[in-house]
Amino acid sequence: MKELIEKIKGSINLSQEAEEHLFSISNKKTFAKGAVLIRQGQNVNKIYFVTGGCLRSYCIDKNGKEYTLQFAIKNWWISDYIAIHTNESASLTVECLKESTVIEFNAKELDGIHALFPEFEPFQRKNLERHMVSLHKRILNQLQLTASECYDLFLEQYPDIEQYTHNYHIASYLGVTQESLSRIRLEKAKK
Amino acid sequence: MKALQIIKYGEIKDSLVFNEVNKPTMQAKDVLIEVKAAAINPIDKSIILGNLQSMLPIPLPSTSAYDVSGIVVEMGAEVSDFEIGDLVYSRVPQEQMGTIAEYVAVNNAAVSKKPGNITFEEAASIPLAGLTALQSLEYVGIKENDKILIHAGSGGVGSFAIQYAKAKGAYVYTTTSTNNVKWVKELGADRVIDYKTEDYKTMVSNADIVFDTLGKNYALEAFEVIKQGGKVVSVVGPLDEESAKMFGMADYKLPKELAQLSKDKEATYKFIFMHPNGSHLGAIKLLIEDEKIKPIIDKVYPFAESMEAFAHLATGRAKGKIVIKIN
């Protein structure tokens, strides 16, 4: 929780009262590798701030194959925002790729914090903007860059992630086949 | 629910019928799987023909086939390792046979989550052949640098066994026909022997392991190419004495010729009867996700064309597995 408080304090002036409220609606939890926090098809009301480990959100298509939407490492947020926004069942599954520690919030309670403590607004707005920028960059990169260049950027963003992910987690995130990713890795290893 | 059932022993076209049946009854340790895909194997054909009546008696009518992939939709009271919505695959136990249906109830000990990087159709193609290969090669303790001869590299078991043996670091010889040489080579086999133009017995010598998936004389011939102290493992050859006891044949003796050859070479002979095992499927899941093993599918048939799938199986010419898409 200290990590999140420090992060918030880096953006806004946080009153003692607001800090205490944040504590009261949060729940620090540790999950084992393989634990599923959100399951496709089920109800979602939780949002997670990652303080350690690595999580992945993915969807499963009608043929049963997985496609990675996001990896979340320390200081990232993860949930199924589509489900929370539309109040529908989850279209994503969120799982731990290694033992992970998260701060869990109820989505409604986290949203309600703005009414109680308006100073959170700019913090949340900045978070959303950063999230949007990251998504736009990801789309543009996929449109403009080669698979090899996308892979380089991916490694910059998640330097150690290959230790605990499968090839197909990354391949589906980049939108390439496992064979293509293996080839890219092989070419890089030769250089 | 709709199911493809065996109504009598005999020719496939006379013995298989689509029936409307009740959903399977659940036991405390079962998961109910909504079937997405099923796969068929030579044993399914043998059961329909009545060739296994004494060994694997089934009540008639019975729904056909053992391999399945799908989604867990219900769980028995004593199931804790799965959740509703899990994507799974299984080779179902004998008493729960019947995967060419909309639903199948399976003891959870025989079930594993399916590999995430392959489709339901690909996942359904794995269990029976994969478990047969894994349990055979693990029984003989395959290890790095072992020289192994795998017969029928283009079959469901053979194509899996080649990839499994390569994942373990073995040197793989395999036999197949001319048309299959190229793709079997692509599975990773070090030396593909075209049995139509080459004699494997002159090409393989001092093998550590021979994996017989063909039966007939191949179990005997294995001792010509095995090294002194090697291991012959078969899934279709004669029973060994230990396996025979499992089937209640206490007085069974290994055929004399086989026993003599085994003695002369100080080599072991073991018959493997595949057993359903969710943990083993879990190990295979990881190998598939790490791309050590790829499913090899010959053709996927829609549920309504299941009879055609069996007719294709009966030709014995499939390159990889035959899958039926249920839903």
Side-chain angles (χ1 to χ4, degrees), chain B residues 284-302:
Chain B
I284 292 172
K285 171 184 186 285
L286 295 178
L287 288 168
I288 292 174
E289 289 178 340
D290 284 339
E291 300 170 275
K292 299 280 198 297
I293 289 172
K294 285 182 183 164
I296 310 293
I297 292 182
D298 182 282
K299 193 168 177 186
V300 179
Y301 289 84

Side-chain angles (χ1 to χ4, degrees), chain B residues 140-159:
Chain B
V140 292
I142 191 166
K143 59 184 189 308
E144 199 171 358
N145 297 325
D146 273 351
K147 250 165 70 171
I148 180 171
L149 167 64
I150 296 168
H151 280 298
S154 65
V157 175
S159 57

